[in-house]
Amino acid sequence: MSKMDTKDFIIGAVVGGIVGASAAMLVAPKSGKELRADINDKATTAKDKTVEFTNVAKEKGNEYSQIAKEKSGEWSEVAKEQWNRVADKTSRLTDKANSLSDEMTSDVKNMMEEEKEEGQKLANQVIKEIEETRDKLKDDVTELNSK
């Protein structure tokens, strides 16, 4: 559901609730003064609930945003550390390969490829965790919007 659809649904639900409550009060046998007081009370209650829902949504949004920032910072740091380790190992292996014979050069290339695969695995894991966190955030926002 897009942001506009959610917003339209919430507005429609609030307006529909107010119209329904007002219609129910209008058909109830009460004096005009009592009826106006009841309508005013119900409108105030609806407004308060809308403000409360908005505040909760903002708080949850800020909370999830902060979690996402923290997690992405952690994952970035892990990826940088892994990259530095890979770069350091690669540099050492390259120096060693230059000083060894052709047979040793082949072995060094194989080791470098393994380190590259490990780095790729970590990068894929980081991407997967970011996507899972994004999906969880979407699910939580959807759940929050449905309440």
Side-chain angles (χ1 to χ4, degrees):
M1 193 185 287
S2 71
K3 289 181 183 180
M4 189 53 123
D5 290 339
T6 302
K7 181 181 174 186
D8 290 342
F9 176 77
I10 291 171
I11 290 171
V14 170
V15 170
I18 291 170
V19 169
S22 297
M25 285 188 277
L26 288 173
V27 296
K30 291 186 179 183
S31 70
K33 190 174 190 178
E34 289 175 334
L35 182 59
R36 286 190 299 275
D38 284 349
I39 291 172
N40 191 24
D41 289 343
K42 296 294 181 182
T44 301
T45 301
K47 177 187 167 204
D48 292 343
K49 286 189 183 228
T50 302
V51 169
E52 181 182 333
F53 177 75
T54 301
N55 290 336
V56 168
K58 285 179 183 177
E59 288 174 13
K60 287 292 184 182
N62 289 336
E63 180 182 323
Y64 290 136
S65 174
Q66 185 62 31
I67 289 170
K69 287 178 186 177
E70 290 171 6
K71 290 293 183 184
S72 66
E74 290 173 17
W75 294 329
S76 294
E77 193 61 37
V78 168
K80 285 178 188 176
E81 289 174 9
Q82 181 67 18
W83 177 255
N84 288 337
R85 286 195 298 267
V86 169
D88 184 49
K89 285 182 180 181
T90 302
S91 176
R92 285 186 277 133
L93 292 174
T94 301
D95 291 343
K96 187 175 180 180
N98 288 333
S99 66
L100 298 175
S101 69
D102 291 339
E103 182 180 314
M104 291 300 293
T105 301
S106 175
D107 292 340
V108 169
K109 287 181 180 180
N110 289 337
M111 284 187 219
M112 289 173 51
E113 195 61 37
E114 290 174 9
E115 289 298 323
K116 181 180 175 182
E117 289 173 10
E118 287 298 318
Q120 184 63 38
K121 286 178 185 177
L122 178 62
N124 289 338
Q125 180 183 358
V126 167
I127 290 169
K128 180 182 175 189
E129 290 179 11
I130 288 172
E131 289 172 348
E132 288 173 354
T133 300
R134 181 193 68 215
D135 292 341
K136 183 181 182 314
L137 288 173
K138 284 181 181 178
D139 291 342
D140 288 344
V141 167
T142 301
E143 180 181 325
L144 183 62
N145 285 337
S146 68
K147 288 183 180 180

